[in-house]
mmCIF file of all heavy atoms in Angstrom:
data_model
loop_
_atom_site.group_PDB
_atom_site.id
_atom_site.type_symbol
_atom_site.label_atom_id
_atom_site.label_comp_id
_atom_site.label_asym_id
_atom_site.label_seq_id
_atom_site.Cartn_x
_atom_site.Cartn_y
_atom_site.Cartn_z
ATOM 1 N N ASN S 1 -0.844 1.708 -9.545
ATOM 2 C CA ASN S 1 -0.038 1.726 -8.317
ATOM 3 C C ASN S 1 0.989 2.855 -8.349
ATOM 4 O O ASN S 1 2.160 2.677 -8.001
ATOM 5 C CB ASN S 1 0.666 0.385 -8.103
ATOM 6 C CG ASN S 1 -0.244 -0.661 -7.497
ATOM 7 O OD1 ASN S 1 -1.263 -0.349 -6.891
ATOM 8 N ND2 ASN S 1 0.131 -1.925 -7.650
ATOM 9 N N THR S 2 0.534 4.015 -8.752
ATOM 10 C CA THR S 2 1.413 5.160 -8.925
ATOM 11 C C THR S 2 0.903 6.348 -8.121
ATOM 12 O O THR S 2 -0.303 6.619 -8.107
ATOM 13 C CB THR S 2 1.526 5.543 -10.404
ATOM 14 O OG1 THR S 2 2.071 4.442 -11.140
ATOM 15 C CG2 THR S 2 2.430 6.754 -10.592
ATOM 16 N N VAL S 3 1.822 7.041 -7.476
ATOM 17 C CA VAL S 3 1.497 8.255 -6.744
ATOM 18 C C VAL S 3 2.258 9.415 -7.380
ATOM 19 O O VAL S 3 3.391 9.249 -7.838
ATOM 20 C CB VAL S 3 1.816 8.121 -5.240
ATOM 21 C CG1 VAL S 3 3.308 7.905 -5.004
ATOM 22 C CG2 VAL S 3 1.308 9.322 -4.464
ATOM 23 N N TYR S 4 1.622 10.585 -7.417
ATOM 24 C CA TYR S 4 2.193 11.766 -8.036
ATOM 25 C C TYR S 4 2.281 12.900 -7.023
ATOM 26 O O TYR S 4 1.513 12.960 -6.060
ATOM 27 C CB TYR S 4 1.342 12.233 -9.213
ATOM 28 C CG TYR S 4 1.091 11.180 -10.259
ATOM 29 C CD1 TYR S 4 -0.042 10.381 -10.201
ATOM 30 C CD2 TYR S 4 1.992 10.983 -11.306
ATOM 31 C CE1 TYR S 4 -0.280 9.415 -11.162
ATOM 32 C CE2 TYR S 4 1.765 10.017 -12.263
ATOM 33 C CZ TYR S 4 0.628 9.234 -12.190
ATOM 34 O OH TYR S 4 0.396 8.273 -13.141
ATOM 35 N N LEU S 5 3.195 13.794 -7.272
ATOM 36 C CA LEU S 5 3.279 15.021 -6.500
ATOM 37 C C LEU S 5 3.454 16.179 -7.472
ATOM 38 O O LEU S 5 4.522 16.321 -8.073
ATOM 39 C CB LEU S 5 4.435 14.986 -5.503
ATOM 40 C CG LEU S 5 4.520 16.186 -4.557
ATOM 41 C CD1 LEU S 5 3.338 16.194 -3.593
ATOM 42 C CD2 LEU S 5 5.835 16.178 -3.782
ATOM 43 N N GLN S 6 2.405 16.968 -7.636
ATOM 44 C CA GLN S 6 2.468 18.168 -8.453
ATOM 45 C C GLN S 6 2.942 19.315 -7.577
ATOM 46 O O GLN S 6 2.303 19.643 -6.575
ATOM 47 C CB GLN S 6 1.099 18.491 -9.052
ATOM 48 C CG GLN S 6 1.064 19.760 -9.891
ATOM 49 C CD GLN S 6 1.889 19.658 -11.150
ATOM 50 O OE1 GLN S 6 1.802 18.657 -11.863
ATOM 51 N NE2 GLN S 6 2.714 20.662 -11.415
ATOM 52 N N MET S 7 4.055 19.929 -7.950
ATOM 53 C CA MET S 7 4.664 20.986 -7.160
ATOM 54 C C MET S 7 4.646 22.281 -7.962
ATOM 55 O O MET S 7 5.290 22.377 -9.008
ATOM 56 C CB MET S 7 6.095 20.620 -6.771
ATOM 57 C CG MET S 7 6.202 19.296 -6.020
ATOM 58 S SD MET S 7 7.891 18.941 -5.461
ATOM 59 C CE MET S 7 8.690 18.684 -7.044
ATOM 60 N N ASN S 8 3.905 23.256 -7.469
ATOM 61 C CA ASN S 8 3.804 24.559 -8.104
ATOM 62 C C ASN S 8 4.392 25.637 -7.197
ATOM 63 O O ASN S 8 4.555 25.436 -5.997
ATOM 64 C CB ASN S 8 2.347 24.896 -8.418
ATOM 65 C CG ASN S 8 1.706 23.928 -9.374
ATOM 66 O OD1 ASN S 8 2.350 23.395 -10.272
ATOM 67 N ND2 ASN S 8 0.402 23.695 -9.201
ATOM 68 N N SER S 9 4.677 26.781 -7.779
ATOM 69 C CA SER S 9 5.211 27.926 -7.026
ATOM 70 C C SER S 9 6.393 27.518 -6.162
ATOM 71 O O SER S 9 6.470 27.842 -4.977
ATOM 72 C CB SER S 9 4.105 28.553 -6.166
ATOM 73 O OG SER S 9 3.020 28.982 -6.959
ATOM 74 N N LEU S 10 7.319 26.813 -6.758
ATOM 75 C CA LEU S 10 8.447 26.271 -6.011
ATOM 76 C C LEU S 10 9.341 27.375 -5.449
ATOM 77 O O LEU S 10 9.538 28.417 -6.078
ATOM 78 C CB LEU S 10 9.254 25.326 -6.889
ATOM 79 C CG LEU S 10 8.614 23.944 -7.078
ATOM 80 C CD1 LEU S 10 9.177 23.249 -8.303
ATOM 81 C CD2 LEU S 10 8.820 23.096 -5.827
ATOM 82 N N LYS S 11 9.863 27.101 -4.261
ATOM 83 C CA LYS S 11 10.723 28.027 -3.548
ATOM 84 C C LYS S 11 12.088 27.390 -3.315
ATOM 85 O O LYS S 11 12.200 26.163 -3.284
ATOM 86 C CB LYS S 11 10.102 28.390 -2.192
ATOM 87 C CG LYS S 11 8.708 28.972 -2.270
ATOM 88 C CD LYS S 11 8.131 29.171 -0.873
ATOM 89 C CE LYS S 11 6.732 29.741 -0.921
ATOM 90 N NZ LYS S 11 6.169 29.919 0.436
ATOM 91 N N PRO S 12 13.126 28.187 -3.116
ATOM 92 C CA PRO S 12 14.448 27.613 -2.838
ATOM 93 C C PRO S 12 14.444 26.654 -1.648
ATOM 94 O O PRO S 12 15.186 25.669 -1.667
ATOM 95 C CB PRO S 12 15.313 28.843 -2.564
ATOM 96 C CG PRO S 12 14.688 29.918 -3.383
ATOM 97 C CD PRO S 12 13.202 29.654 -3.294
ATOM 98 N N GLU S 13 13.622 26.928 -0.645
ATOM 99 C CA GLU S 13 13.563 26.049 0.513
ATOM 100 C C GLU S 13 12.923 24.695 0.223
ATOM 101 O O GLU S 13 12.933 23.807 1.081
ATOM 102 C CB GLU S 13 12.842 26.727 1.687
ATOM 103 C CG GLU S 13 11.487 27.299 1.324
ATOM 104 C CD GLU S 13 11.531 28.791 1.042
ATOM 105 O OE1 GLU S 13 12.449 29.233 0.320
ATOM 106 O OE2 GLU S 13 10.656 29.521 1.546
ATOM 107 N N ASP S 14 12.364 24.518 -0.970
ATOM 108 C CA ASP S 14 11.858 23.213 -1.383
ATOM 109 C C ASP S 14 12.978 22.300 -1.886
ATOM 110 O O ASP S 14 12.732 21.118 -2.151
ATOM 111 C CB ASP S 14 10.808 23.357 -2.483
ATOM 112 C CG ASP S 14 9.556 24.070 -2.006
ATOM 113 O OD1 ASP S 14 9.099 23.794 -0.879
ATOM 114 O OD2 ASP S 14 9.027 24.906 -2.768
ATOM 115 N N THR S 15 14.171 22.838 -2.042
ATOM 116 C CA THR S 15 15.302 22.053 -2.527
ATOM 117 C C THR S 15 15.601 20.902 -1.569
ATOM 118 O O THR S 15 15.821 21.117 -0.376
ATOM 119 C CB THR S 15 16.546 22.932 -2.691
ATOM 120 O OG1 THR S 15 16.304 23.919 -3.699
ATOM 121 C CG2 THR S 15 17.754 22.101 -3.105
ATOM 122 N N ALA S 16 15.595 19.685 -2.091
ATOM 123 C CA ALA S 16 15.809 18.491 -1.276
ATOM 124 C C ALA S 16 15.793 17.272 -2.179
ATOM 125 O O ALA S 16 15.457 17.354 -3.365
ATOM 126 C CB ALA S 16 14.716 18.363 -0.212
ATOM 127 N N VAL S 17 16.154 16.138 -1.598
ATOM 128 C CA VAL S 17 15.911 14.857 -2.250
ATOM 129 C C VAL S 17 14.528 14.398 -1.819
ATOM 130 O O VAL S 17 14.238 14.337 -0.623
ATOM 131 C CB VAL S 17 16.966 13.806 -1.878
ATOM 132 C CG1 VAL S 17 16.637 12.461 -2.523
ATOM 133 C CG2 VAL S 17 18.353 14.275 -2.315
ATOM 134 N N TYR S 18 13.695 14.080 -2.780
ATOM 135 C CA TYR S 18 12.328 13.664 -2.512
ATOM 136 C C TYR S 18 12.213 12.152 -2.636
ATOM 137 O O TYR S 18 12.649 11.559 -3.621
ATOM 138 C CB TYR S 18 11.359 14.348 -3.481
ATOM 139 C CG TYR S 18 11.107 15.790 -3.129
ATOM 140 C CD1 TYR S 18 12.107 16.740 -3.279
ATOM 141 C CD2 TYR S 18 9.877 16.205 -2.629
ATOM 142 C CE1 TYR S 18 11.892 18.061 -2.935
ATOM 143 C CE2 TYR S 18 9.653 17.525 -2.289
ATOM 144 C CZ TYR S 18 10.657 18.449 -2.443
ATOM 145 O OH TYR S 18 10.432 19.766 -2.101
ATOM 146 N N PHE S 19 11.615 11.546 -1.623
ATOM 147 C CA PHE S 19 11.477 10.095 -1.553
ATOM 148 C C PHE S 19 10.010 9.696 -1.552
ATOM 149 O O PHE S 19 9.207 10.255 -0.808
ATOM 150 C CB PHE S 19 12.121 9.544 -0.280
ATOM 151 C CG PHE S 19 13.599 9.752 -0.191
ATOM 152 C CD1 PHE S 19 14.122 10.887 0.399
ATOM 153 C CD2 PHE S 19 14.479 8.804 -0.692
ATOM 154 C CE1 PHE S 19 15.482 11.084 0.493
ATOM 155 C CE2 PHE S 19 15.844 8.979 -0.605
ATOM 156 C CZ PHE S 19 16.347 10.123 -0.015
ATOM 157 N N CYS S 20 9.696 8.719 -2.355
ATOM 158 C CA CYS S 20 8.378 8.105 -2.337
ATOM 159 C C CYS S 20 8.338 7.028 -1.252
ATOM 160 O O CYS S 20 9.315 6.295 -1.062
ATOM 161 C CB CYS S 20 8.081 7.494 -3.706
ATOM 162 S SG CYS S 20 6.563 6.535 -3.811
ATOM 163 N N ARG S 21 7.234 6.940 -0.553
ATOM 164 C CA ARG S 21 7.044 5.888 0.442
ATOM 165 C C ARG S 21 5.726 5.173 0.204
ATOM 166 O O ARG S 21 4.691 5.806 -0.023
ATOM 167 C CB ARG S 21 7.054 6.455 1.863
ATOM 168 C CG ARG S 21 7.032 5.361 2.937
ATOM 169 C CD ARG S 21 6.820 5.924 4.319
ATOM 170 N NE ARG S 21 5.428 6.264 4.558
ATOM 171 C CZ ARG S 21 4.723 5.838 5.617
ATOM 172 N NH1 ARG S 21 5.287 5.067 6.534
ATOM 173 N NH2 ARG S 21 3.461 6.217 5.752
ATOM 174 N N VAL S 22 5.777 3.846 0.283
ATOM 175 C CA VAL S 22 4.582 3.023 0.174
ATOM 176 C C VAL S 22 4.514 2.116 1.383
ATOM 177 O O VAL S 22 5.490 1.441 1.722
ATOM 178 C CB VAL S 22 4.576 2.188 -1.120
ATOM 179 C CG1 VAL S 22 3.420 1.191 -1.107
ATOM 180 C CG2 VAL S 22 4.484 3.089 -2.337
ATOM 181 N N LYS S 23 3.380 2.103 2.036
ATOM 182 C CA LYS S 23 3.125 1.186 3.133
ATOM 183 C C LYS S 23 2.280 0.057 2.572
ATOM 184 O O LYS S 23 1.136 0.282 2.171
ATOM 185 C CB LYS S 23 2.408 1.904 4.277
ATOM 186 C CG LYS S 23 2.270 1.085 5.540
ATOM 187 C CD LYS S 23 1.629 1.935 6.637
ATOM 188 C CE LYS S 23 1.548 1.186 7.950
ATOM 189 N NZ LYS S 23 0.921 2.008 9.011
ATOM 190 N N ALA S 24 2.850 -1.159 2.534
ATOM 191 C CA ALA S 24 2.196 -2.265 1.854
ATOM 192 C C ALA S 24 2.292 -3.548 2.655
ATOM 193 O O ALA S 24 3.224 -3.745 3.443
ATOM 194 C CB ALA S 24 2.801 -2.476 0.469
ATOM 195 N N THR S 25 1.334 -4.445 2.421
ATOM 196 C CA THR S 25 1.344 -5.777 3.000
ATOM 197 C C THR S 25 1.903 -6.760 1.981
ATOM 198 O O THR S 25 1.445 -6.806 0.834
ATOM 199 C CB THR S 25 -0.062 -6.206 3.426
ATOM 200 O OG1 THR S 25 -0.554 -5.306 4.419
ATOM 201 C CG2 THR S 25 -0.042 -7.615 4.006
ATOM 202 N N VAL S 26 2.909 -7.547 2.398
ATOM 203 C CA VAL S 26 3.496 -8.582 1.558
ATOM 204 C C VAL S 26 3.483 -9.901 2.320
ATOM 205 O O VAL S 26 3.266 -9.930 3.534
ATOM 206 C CB VAL S 26 4.936 -8.228 1.135
ATOM 207 C CG1 VAL S 26 4.958 -6.928 0.352
ATOM 208 C CG2 VAL S 26 5.840 -8.115 2.368
#
């Protein structure tokens, strides 16, 4: 139940807070 984000060739405009989102049924 894990998602990854591989980020290459990073640019200054990529600077941010990154949030994971899961759409799930409970």
Side-chain angles (χ1 to χ4, degrees):
N1 280 340
T2 299
V3 63
Y4 305 93
L5 185 67
Q6 178 66 46
M7 304 184 292
N8 298 326
S9 301
L10 283 160
K11 304 174 180 179
E13 52 262 45
D14 295 318
T15 296
V17 177
Y18 284 69
F19 296 90
C20 174
R21 187 189 78 128
V22 172
K23 188 176 184 180
T25 299
V26 300

